[in-house]
Amino acid sequence: MTSWTPEEQSLFSETYSLVLTAGDTDGPGVEIGMAVVDGELYVRAYRGVRSRWYRAAREHGYGTVQVGDVSRDVLLTTGGLEPPAGLDAAFRDKYGAVADALVASPQARAATIRIDPAPVPAP
């Protein structure tokens, strides 16, 4: 599995949100908060597993993320995912009290996605 570079991890930590597009769509994607734990990037759908974009991520398993001017093809892991113990705290540290309302509910926890960089094809 490809890992995020230290520079990308810093960008994620310093940036408020990313835009996630699941699948091959040219649609606008969804702007969402993110947290990095142990070098891995996570997002949550605060509306739970019935959220339209969460269902698209689960169905396709890949997409793109855009953070500022950086766009990257990604793999989206939903099923069988065991979020790390520090994920709630990472969201709280980054977003404060709003994190409890948006990403700490049982519905949001059930809709956790790990985002990994897609392997770059060899030239």
Side-chain angles (χ1 to χ4, degrees):
M1 175 172 54
T2 304
S3 300
W4 297 109
T5 66
E7 294 81 12
E8 290 167 326
Q9 291 178 44
S10 291
L11 178 64
F12 299 145
S13 295
E14 296 166 4
T15 305
Y16 190 77
S17 62
L18 60 77
V19 175
L20 171 66
T21 305
D24 293 324
T25 183
D26 288 332
V30 62
E31 185 175 354
I32 188 155
M34 65 201 142
V36 176
V37 176
D38 297 330
E40 295 183 327
L41 179 63
Y42 294 89
V43 297
R44 283 184 169 163
Y46 77 91
R47 291 187 175 152
V49 296
R50 288 196 247 169
S51 166
R52 185 175 55 143
W53 67 266
Y54 178 84
R55 290 190 326 252
R58 185 177 59 213
E59 176 184 338
H60 296 286
Y62 65 92
T64 60
V65 293
Q66 184 168 351
V67 181
D69 294 334
V70 177
S71 183
R72 186 80 188 265
D73 291 335
V74 295
L75 303 176
L76 307 170
T77 302
T78 57
L81 181 64
E82 185 63 37
L87 187 54
D88 285 355
F91 274 112
R92 256 186 241 104
D93 288 347
K94 186 168 185 178
Y95 298 103
V98 73
D100 285 331
L102 295 180
V103 295
S105 71
Q107 296 89 348
R109 285 186 182 112
T112 300
I113 300 172
R114 188 183 71 227
I115 301 176
D116 297 304
V120 178

